[in-house]
Amino acid sequence: MTKPIIIIVGAQLGSESKGTVVGHLCKERNIDFCVRTGSINAGHTVIYNDKAYANQTIPVGWVNPKTNLVIGAGAYIEPNILKREVEMINEATGEDVRKRLFIDHRAGLHTDEHKKQEEGLHQRMGSTGKGCAAAIKDKIDRRFD
C-alpha cells in the first residue's frame, strides 16, 4: 500500500504553527519520513510529553520514534545548533536520534563566519541577521569556483 506525500507550507512567513501540525501528523498518521529544509533563521516548535521543544535544524517528526528524519537538500546546518538539538531530543526521548537522522549531501554548512559577514547588514536587508544569506552565497560561490 502506498502512502500519500503530505507537504506543509506556510504562507505567512512564520509563527503559523507548522511545527505543531507536522508533529501531530507524524504521530497520528505514523509518517515514515519527515523532511526539513531551510536554515536556522526559522524554527519549528513541537509538543512532546506536554513540553514545547524548538527545532531549527532537525525535523520535528522526531516526536514519533518510528519516523525517519531527513535534513534535506537546500537545508543549511549550523553544527552547534545540530549538536544541541541532538542532545535535547536524546534527553527528551531516551533514544539516540542520530540512528534515524539522515543528512542529504547537498545540504549546506552555516558557520559563525557567515553570521559575522552579515553584521550590520541585516537591518538594511530586512533579514534575521543570522548569516543565512551569506551561507547561501558561499555555497553558490563554491559551485562556480
Side-chain angles (χ1 to χ4, degrees), residues 34-66:
C34 185
V35 181
R36 168 86 160 86
T37 62
S39 193
I40 64 164
N41 59 330
H44 295 126
T45 302
V46 67
I47 306 299
Y48 182 76
N49 289 340
D50 297 322
K51 183 177 175 188
Y53 293 88
N55 294 77
Q56 292 175 277
T57 303
I58 297 177
V60 296
W62 63 263
V63 297
N64 180 340
K66 295 178 182 175

PDB file of all heavy atoms in Angstrom, residues 34-66:
ATOM      1  N   CYS A  34      10.095  12.450   7.678  1.00  0.00           N
ATOM      2  CA  CYS A  34       9.826  13.872   7.891  1.00  0.00           C
ATOM      3  C   CYS A  34      11.066  14.619   7.412  1.00  0.00           C
ATOM      4  O   CYS A  34      12.184  14.370   7.884  1.00  0.00           O
ATOM      5  CB  CYS A  34       9.559  14.146   9.366  1.00  0.00           C
ATOM      6  SG  CYS A  34       9.073  15.850   9.714  1.00  0.00           S
ATOM      7  N   VAL A  35      10.874  15.524   6.454  1.00  0.00           N
ATOM      8  CA  VAL A  35      11.993  16.226   5.822  1.00  0.00           C
ATOM      9  C   VAL A  35      11.943  17.699   6.207  1.00  0.00           C
ATOM     10  O   VAL A  35      10.893  18.330   6.149  1.00  0.00           O
ATOM     11  CB  VAL A  35      11.922  16.089   4.281  1.00  0.00           C
ATOM     12  CG1 VAL A  35      13.092  16.805   3.626  1.00  0.00           C
ATOM     13  CG2 VAL A  35      11.892  14.621   3.884  1.00  0.00           C
ATOM     14  N   ARG A  36      13.083  18.243   6.551  1.00  0.00           N
ATOM     15  CA  ARG A  36      13.203  19.658   6.904  1.00  0.00           C
ATOM     16  C   ARG A  36      14.158  20.300   5.929  1.00  0.00           C
ATOM     17  O   ARG A  36      15.250  19.805   5.674  1.00  0.00           O
ATOM     18  CB  ARG A  36      13.732  19.786   8.329  1.00  0.00           C
ATOM     19  CG  ARG A  36      14.178  21.168   8.758  1.00  0.00           C
ATOM     20  CD  ARG A  36      12.998  21.974   9.275  1.00  0.00           C
ATOM     21  NE  ARG A  36      13.408  23.088  10.114  1.00  0.00           N
ATOM     22  CZ  ARG A  36      13.743  24.289   9.649  1.00  0.00           C
ATOM     23  NH1 ARG A  36      13.773  24.517   8.365  1.00  0.00           N
ATOM     24  NH2 ARG A  36      14.060  25.261  10.473  1.00  0.00           N
ATOM     25  N   THR A  37      13.752  21.413   5.371  1.00  0.00           N
ATOM     26  CA  THR A  37      14.646  22.229   4.560  1.00  0.00           C
ATOM     27  C   THR A  37      14.696  23.608   5.199  1.00  0.00           C
ATOM     28  O   THR A  37      14.036  23.862   6.197  1.00  0.00           O
ATOM     29  CB  THR A  37      14.158  22.335   3.096  1.00  0.00           C
ATOM     30  OG1 THR A  37      12.884  22.962   3.097  1.00  0.00           O
ATOM     31  CG2 THR A  37      14.086  20.970   2.442  1.00  0.00           C
ATOM     32  N   GLY A  38      15.460  24.491   4.645  1.00  0.00           N
ATOM     33  CA  GLY A  38      15.552  25.832   5.197  1.00  0.00           C
ATOM     34  C   GLY A  38      16.830  26.022   5.978  1.00  0.00           C
ATOM     35  O   GLY A  38      17.776  25.248   5.872  1.00  0.00           O
ATOM     36  N   SER A  39      16.831  27.066   6.770  1.00  0.00           N
ATOM     37  CA  SER A  39      18.033  27.405   7.507  1.00  0.00           C
ATOM     38  C   SER A  39      17.683  27.725   8.949  1.00  0.00           C
ATOM     39  O   SER A  39      16.532  27.621   9.358  1.00  0.00           O
ATOM     40  CB  SER A  39      18.722  28.599   6.825  1.00  0.00           C
ATOM     41  OG  SER A  39      20.026  28.754   7.330  1.00  0.00           O
ATOM     42  N   ILE A  40      18.680  28.177   9.696  1.00  0.00           N
ATOM     43  CA  ILE A  40      18.491  28.403  11.130  1.00  0.00           C
ATOM     44  C   ILE A  40      17.722  29.674  11.442  1.00  0.00           C
ATOM     45  O   ILE A  40      17.435  29.945  12.596  1.00  0.00           O
ATOM     46  CB  ILE A  40      19.844  28.422  11.864  1.00  0.00           C
ATOM     47  CG1 ILE A  40      20.693  29.589  11.384  1.00  0.00           C
ATOM     48  CG2 ILE A  40      20.551  27.094  11.710  1.00  0.00           C
ATOM     49  CD1 ILE A  40      21.841  29.921  12.294  1.00  0.00           C
ATOM     50  N   ASN A  41      17.375  30.459  10.424  1.00  0.00           N
ATOM     51  CA  ASN A  41      16.593  31.660  10.693  1.00  0.00           C
ATOM     52  C   ASN A  41      15.141  31.324  11.006  1.00  0.00           C
ATOM     53  O   ASN A  41      14.382  32.174  11.437  1.00  0.00           O
ATOM     54  CB  ASN A  41      16.669  32.638   9.521  1.00  0.00           C
ATOM     55  CG  ASN A  41      16.153  32.036   8.230  1.00  0.00           C
ATOM     56  OD1 ASN A  41      16.251  30.837   8.009  1.00  0.00           O
ATOM     57  ND2 ASN A  41      15.634  32.869   7.367  1.00  0.00           N
ATOM     58  N   ALA A  42      14.751  30.082  10.790  1.00  0.00           N
ATOM     59  CA  ALA A  42      13.385  29.645  11.082  1.00  0.00           C
ATOM     60  C   ALA A  42      13.431  28.517  12.096  1.00  0.00           C
ATOM     61  O   ALA A  42      14.339  27.700  12.094  1.00  0.00           O
ATOM     62  CB  ALA A  42      12.701  29.171   9.805  1.00  0.00           C
ATOM     63  N   GLY A  43      12.457  28.490  12.944  1.00  0.00           N
ATOM     64  CA  GLY A  43      12.367  27.422  13.913  1.00  0.00           C
ATOM     65  C   GLY A  43      10.967  26.851  13.937  1.00  0.00           C
ATOM     66  O   GLY A  43      10.008  27.515  13.561  1.00  0.00           O
ATOM     67  N   HIS A  44      10.876  25.611  14.347  1.00  0.00           N
ATOM     68  CA  HIS A  44       9.589  24.958  14.485  1.00  0.00           C
ATOM     69  C   HIS A  44       9.471  24.430  15.901  1.00  0.00           C
ATOM     70  O   HIS A  44      10.409  23.850  16.432  1.00  0.00           O
ATOM     71  CB  HIS A  44       9.445  23.814  13.481  1.00  0.00           C
ATOM     72  CG  HIS A  44       9.424  24.290  12.070  1.00  0.00           C
ATOM     73  ND1 HIS A  44      10.274  23.821  11.108  1.00  0.00           N
ATOM     74  CD2 HIS A  44       8.659  25.230  11.478  1.00  0.00           C
ATOM     75  CE1 HIS A  44      10.024  24.445   9.967  1.00  0.00           C
ATOM     76  NE2 HIS A  44       9.056  25.300  10.170  1.00  0.00           N
ATOM     77  N   THR A  45       8.309  24.634  16.488  1.00  0.00           N
ATOM     78  CA  THR A  45       8.060  24.180  17.847  1.00  0.00           C
ATOM     79  C   THR A  45       7.106  23.005  17.812  1.00  0.00           C
ATOM     80  O   THR A  45       6.129  23.009  17.065  1.00  0.00           O
ATOM     81  CB  THR A  45       7.459  25.321  18.699  1.00  0.00           C
ATOM     82  OG1 THR A  45       8.362  26.427  18.690  1.00  0.00           O
ATOM     83  CG2 THR A  45       7.218  24.873  20.131  1.00  0.00           C
ATOM     84  N   VAL A  46       7.416  22.006  18.610  1.00  0.00           N
ATOM     85  CA  VAL A  46       6.582  20.811  18.690  1.00  0.00           C
ATOM     86  C   VAL A  46       6.385  20.474  20.168  1.00  0.00           C
ATOM     87  O   VAL A  46       7.244  20.768  21.000  1.00  0.00           O
ATOM     88  CB  VAL A  46       7.221  19.631  17.915  1.00  0.00           C
ATOM     89  CG1 VAL A  46       8.512  19.162  18.573  1.00  0.00           C
ATOM     90  CG2 VAL A  46       6.249  18.501  17.708  1.00  0.00           C
ATOM     91  N   ILE A  47       5.244  19.893  20.465  1.00  0.00           N
ATOM     92  CA  ILE A  47       4.941  19.479  21.832  1.00  0.00           C
ATOM     93  C   ILE A  47       5.226  17.984  21.967  1.00  0.00           C
ATOM     94  O   ILE A  47       4.758  17.175  21.165  1.00  0.00           O
ATOM     95  CB  ILE A  47       3.464  19.756  22.187  1.00  0.00           C
ATOM     96  CG1 ILE A  47       3.096  21.231  21.931  1.00  0.00           C
ATOM     97  CG2 ILE A  47       3.167  19.347  23.635  1.00  0.00           C
ATOM     98  CD1 ILE A  47       3.883  22.231  22.737  1.00  0.00           C
ATOM     99  N   TYR A  48       5.990  17.636  22.999  1.00  0.00           N
ATOM    100  CA  TYR A  48       6.304  16.237  23.285  1.00  0.00           C
ATOM    101  C   TYR A  48       6.168  16.037  24.785  1.00  0.00           C
ATOM    102  O   TYR A  48       6.822  16.744  25.568  1.00  0.00           O
ATOM    103  CB  TYR A  48       7.720  15.904  22.809  1.00  0.00           C
ATOM    104  CG  TYR A  48       8.119  14.471  23.028  1.00  0.00           C
ATOM    105  CD1 TYR A  48       7.635  13.461  22.201  1.00  0.00           C
ATOM    106  CD2 TYR A  48       8.975  14.111  24.062  1.00  0.00           C
ATOM    107  CE1 TYR A  48       7.994  12.139  22.393  1.00  0.00           C
ATOM    108  CE2 TYR A  48       9.346  12.794  24.266  1.00  0.00           C
ATOM    109  CZ  TYR A  48       8.848  11.819  23.430  1.00  0.00           C
ATOM    110  OH  TYR A  48       9.197  10.500  23.619  1.00  0.00           O
ATOM    111  N   ASN A  49       5.319  15.120  25.190  1.00  0.00           N
ATOM    112  CA  ASN A  49       5.053  14.872  26.612  1.00  0.00           C
ATOM    113  C   ASN A  49       4.734  16.179  27.355  1.00  0.00           C
ATOM    114  O   ASN A  49       5.305  16.469  28.406  1.00  0.00           O
ATOM    115  CB  ASN A  49       6.223  14.137  27.275  1.00  0.00           C
ATOM    116  CG  ASN A  49       6.329  12.702  26.814  1.00  0.00           C
ATOM    117  OD1 ASN A  49       5.375  12.125  26.305  1.00  0.00           O
ATOM    118  ND2 ASN A  49       7.504  12.117  26.969  1.00  0.00           N
ATOM    119  N   ASP A  50       3.857  16.969  26.761  1.00  0.00           N
ATOM    120  CA  ASP A  50       3.353  18.223  27.340  1.00  0.00           C
ATOM    121  C   ASP A  50       4.424  19.301  27.515  1.00  0.00           C
ATOM    122  O   ASP A  50       4.247  20.230  28.307  1.00  0.00           O
ATOM    123  CB  ASP A  50       2.662  17.959  28.687  1.00  0.00           C
ATOM    124  CG  ASP A  50       1.436  17.080  28.536  1.00  0.00           C
ATOM    125  OD1 ASP A  50       0.713  17.246  27.535  1.00  0.00           O
ATOM    126  OD2 ASP A  50       1.200  16.225  29.422  1.00  0.00           O
ATOM    127  N   LYS A  51       5.521  19.186  26.803  1.00  0.00           N
ATOM    128  CA  LYS A  51       6.567  20.206  26.867  1.00  0.00           C
ATOM    129  C   LYS A  51       6.881  20.676  25.444  1.00  0.00           C
ATOM    130  O   LYS A  51       6.905  19.877  24.509  1.00  0.00           O
ATOM    131  CB  LYS A  51       7.826  19.629  27.525  1.00  0.00           C
ATOM    132  CG  LYS A  51       8.931  20.641  27.699  1.00  0.00           C
ATOM    133  CD  LYS A  51      10.130  20.060  28.422  1.00  0.00           C
ATOM    134  CE  LYS A  51      11.241  21.089  28.463  1.00  0.00           C
ATOM    135  NZ  LYS A  51      12.489  20.556  28.976  1.00  0.00           N
ATOM    136  N   ALA A  52       7.113  21.975  25.291  1.00  0.00           N
ATOM    137  CA  ALA A  52       7.423  22.548  23.975  1.00  0.00           C
ATOM    138  C   ALA A  52       8.922  22.448  23.705  1.00  0.00           C
ATOM    139  O   ALA A  52       9.747  22.728  24.582  1.00  0.00           O
ATOM    140  CB  ALA A  52       6.989  24.008  23.919  1.00  0.00           C
ATOM    141  N   TYR A  53       9.250  22.037  22.487  1.00  0.00           N
ATOM    142  CA  TYR A  53      10.637  21.930  22.036  1.00  0.00           C
ATOM    143  C   TYR A  53      10.775  22.711  20.728  1.00  0.00           C
ATOM    144  O   TYR A  53       9.992  22.516  19.804  1.00  0.00           O
ATOM    145  CB  TYR A  53      11.034  20.466  21.796  1.00  0.00           C
ATOM    146  CG  TYR A  53      11.084  19.653  23.058  1.00  0.00           C
ATOM    147  CD1 TYR A  53       9.948  19.013  23.537  1.00  0.00           C
ATOM    148  CD2 TYR A  53      12.262  19.537  23.782  1.00  0.00           C
ATOM    149  CE1 TYR A  53       9.983  18.269  24.700  1.00  0.00           C
ATOM    150  CE2 TYR A  53      12.305  18.789  24.953  1.00  0.00           C
ATOM    151  CZ  TYR A  53      11.166  18.168  25.410  1.00  0.00           C
ATOM    152  OH  TYR A  53      11.210  17.431  26.569  1.00  0.00           O
ATOM    153  N   ALA A  54      11.799  23.565  20.668  1.00  0.00           N
ATOM    154  CA  ALA A  54      12.049  24.354  19.459  1.00  0.00           C
ATOM    155  C   ALA A  54      13.184  23.727  18.667  1.00  0.00           C
ATOM    156  O   ALA A  54      14.228  23.392  19.221  1.00  0.00           O
ATOM    157  CB  ALA A  54      12.408  25.790  19.834  1.00  0.00           C
ATOM    158  N   ASN A  55      12.942  23.561  17.385  1.00  0.00           N
ATOM    159  CA  ASN A  55      13.943  22.990  16.483  1.00  0.00           C
ATOM    160  C   ASN A  55      14.249  23.974  15.365  1.00  0.00           C
ATOM    161  O   ASN A  55      13.338  24.536  14.775  1.00  0.00           O
ATOM    162  CB  ASN A  55      13.423  21.693  15.865  1.00  0.00           C
ATOM    163  CG  ASN A  55      13.248  20.599  16.878  1.00  0.00           C
ATOM    164  OD1 ASN A  55      12.283  20.612  17.639  1.00  0.00           O
ATOM    165  ND2 ASN A  55      14.153  19.669  16.912  1.00  0.00           N
ATOM    166  N   GLN A  56      15.524  24.117  15.053  1.00  0.00           N
ATOM    167  CA  GLN A  56      15.957  24.944  13.934  1.00  0.00           C
ATOM    168  C   GLN A  56      16.565  24.093  12.823  1.00  0.00           C
ATOM    169  O   GLN A  56      16.755  24.582  11.726  1.00  0.00           O
ATOM    170  CB  GLN A  56      16.993  25.972  14.398  1.00  0.00           C
ATOM    171  CG  GLN A  56      16.425  27.034  15.309  1.00  0.00           C
ATOM    172  CD  GLN A  56      17.520  27.935  15.827  1.00  0.00           C
ATOM    173  OE1 GLN A  56      18.188  27.594  16.793  1.00  0.00           O
ATOM    174  NE2 GLN A  56      17.718  29.059  15.171  1.00  0.00           N
ATOM    175  N   THR A  57      16.891  22.862  13.113  1.00  0.00           N
ATOM    176  CA  THR A  57      17.572  22.014  12.134  1.00  0.00           C
ATOM    177  C   THR A  57      16.892  20.656  11.969  1.00  0.00           C
ATOM    178  O   THR A  57      16.547  20.276  10.869  1.00  0.00           O
ATOM    179  CB  THR A  57      19.043  21.809  12.536  1.00  0.00           C
ATOM    180  OG1 THR A  57      19.667  23.091  12.647  1.00  0.00           O
ATOM    181  CG2 THR A  57      19.797  21.004  11.494  1.00  0.00           C
ATOM    182  N   ILE A  58      16.730  19.929  13.048  1.00  0.00           N
ATOM    183  CA  ILE A  58      16.176  18.578  12.976  1.00  0.00           C
ATOM    184  C   ILE A  58      14.658  18.662  12.800  1.00  0.00           C
ATOM    185  O   ILE A  58      13.995  19.419  13.499  1.00  0.00           O
ATOM    186  CB  ILE A  58      16.543  17.771  14.237  1.00  0.00           C
ATOM    187  CG1 ILE A  58      18.059  17.600  14.324  1.00  0.00           C
ATOM    188  CG2 ILE A  58      15.860  16.399  14.229  1.00  0.00           C
ATOM    189  CD1 ILE A  58      18.553  16.882  15.557  1.00  0.00           C
ATOM    190  N   PRO A  59      14.107  17.870  11.885  1.00  0.00           N
ATOM    191  CA  PRO A  59      12.657  17.876  11.683  1.00  0.00           C
ATOM    192  C   PRO A  59      11.901  17.512  12.965  1.00  0.00           C
ATOM    193  O   PRO A  59      12.333  16.639  13.721  1.00  0.00           O
ATOM    194  CB  PRO A  59      12.425  16.808  10.617  1.00  0.00           C
ATOM    195  CG  PRO A  59      13.743  16.642   9.934  1.00  0.00           C
ATOM    196  CD  PRO A  59      14.783  16.935  10.966  1.00  0.00           C
ATOM    197  N   VAL A  60      10.772  18.177  13.183  1.00  0.00           N
ATOM    198  CA  VAL A  60      10.001  17.943  14.404  1.00  0.00           C
ATOM    199  C   VAL A  60       9.308  16.585  14.425  1.00  0.00           C
ATOM    200  O   VAL A  60       8.739  16.199  15.448  1.00  0.00           O
ATOM    201  CB  VAL A  60       8.967  19.065  14.649  1.00  0.00           C
ATOM    202  CG1 VAL A  60       9.663  20.390  14.886  1.00  0.00           C
ATOM    203  CG2 VAL A  60       7.978  19.154  13.501  1.00  0.00           C
ATOM    204  N   GLY A  61       9.395  15.835  13.355  1.00  0.00           N
ATOM    205  CA  GLY A  61       8.835  14.490  13.322  1.00  0.00           C
ATOM    206  C   GLY A  61       9.494  13.545  14.310  1.00  0.00           C
ATOM    207  O   GLY A  61       9.044  12.405  14.475  1.00  0.00           O
ATOM    208  N   TRP A  62      10.542  13.997  14.994  1.00  0.00           N
ATOM    209  CA  TRP A  62      11.220  13.151  15.978  1.00  0.00           C
ATOM    210  C   TRP A  62      10.281  12.707  17.097  1.00  0.00           C
ATOM    211  O   TRP A  62      10.571  11.746  17.800  1.00  0.00           O
ATOM    212  CB  TRP A  62      12.449  13.843  16.562  1.00  0.00           C
ATOM    213  CG  TRP A  62      12.198  15.110  17.336  1.00  0.00           C
ATOM    214  CD1 TRP A  62      12.308  16.385  16.859  1.00  0.00           C
ATOM    215  CD2 TRP A  62      11.839  15.229  18.716  1.00  0.00           C
ATOM    216  NE1 TRP A  62      12.014  17.293  17.859  1.00  0.00           N
ATOM    217  CE2 TRP A  62      11.726  16.601  19.014  1.00  0.00           C
ATOM    218  CE3 TRP A  62      11.591  14.323  19.738  1.00  0.00           C
ATOM    219  CZ2 TRP A  62      11.382  17.094  20.271  1.00  0.00           C
ATOM    220  CZ3 TRP A  62      11.240  14.799  20.999  1.00  0.00           C
ATOM    221  CH2 TRP A  62      11.148  16.172  21.245  1.00  0.00           C
ATOM    222  N   VAL A  63       9.139  13.390  17.224  1.00  0.00           N
ATOM    223  CA  VAL A  63       8.206  13.022  18.290  1.00  0.00           C
ATOM    224  C   VAL A  63       7.612  11.629  18.092  1.00  0.00           C
ATOM    225  O   VAL A  63       7.069  11.052  19.028  1.00  0.00           O
ATOM    226  CB  VAL A  63       7.081  14.074  18.444  1.00  0.00           C
ATOM    227  CG1 VAL A  63       7.667  15.421  18.844  1.00  0.00           C
ATOM    228  CG2 VAL A  63       6.254  14.200  17.166  1.00  0.00           C
ATOM    229  N   ASN A  64       7.704  11.091  16.882  1.00  0.00           N
ATOM    230  CA  ASN A  64       7.295   9.710  16.621  1.00  0.00           C
ATOM    231  C   ASN A  64       8.569   8.888  16.458  1.00  0.00           C
ATOM    232  O   ASN A  64       9.328   9.105  15.515  1.00  0.00           O
ATOM    233  CB  ASN A  64       6.446   9.620  15.348  1.00  0.00           C
ATOM    234  CG  ASN A  64       6.000   8.199  15.050  1.00  0.00           C
ATOM    235  OD1 ASN A  64       6.571   7.223  15.531  1.00  0.00           O
ATOM    236  ND2 ASN A  64       4.978   8.079  14.231  1.00  0.00           N
ATOM    237  N   PRO A  65       8.832   7.949  17.343  1.00  0.00           N
ATOM    238  CA  PRO A  65      10.086   7.186  17.275  1.00  0.00           C
ATOM    239  C   PRO A  65      10.231   6.325  16.025  1.00  0.00           C
ATOM    240  O   PRO A  65      11.315   5.832  15.743  1.00  0.00           O
ATOM    241  CB  PRO A  65      10.059   6.314  18.529  1.00  0.00           C
ATOM    242  CG  PRO A  65       8.645   6.272  18.949  1.00  0.00           C
ATOM    243  CD  PRO A  65       7.997   7.543  18.464  1.00  0.00           C
ATOM    244  N   LYS A  66       9.165   6.173  15.241  1.00  0.00           N
ATOM    245  CA  LYS A  66       9.229   5.386  14.010  1.00  0.00           C
ATOM    246  C   LYS A  66       9.462   6.255  12.777  1.00  0.00           C
ATOM    247  O   LYS A  66       9.662   5.731  11.683  1.00  0.00           O
ATOM    248  CB  LYS A  66       7.931   4.595  13.826  1.00  0.00           C
ATOM    249  CG  LYS A  66       7.716   3.546  14.903  1.00  0.00           C
ATOM    250  CD  LYS A  66       6.410   2.827  14.698  1.00  0.00           C
ATOM    251  CE  LYS A  66       6.189   1.814  15.816  1.00  0.00           C
ATOM    252  NZ  LYS A  66       4.876   1.185  15.694  1.00  0.00           N
TER     253      LYS A  66
END
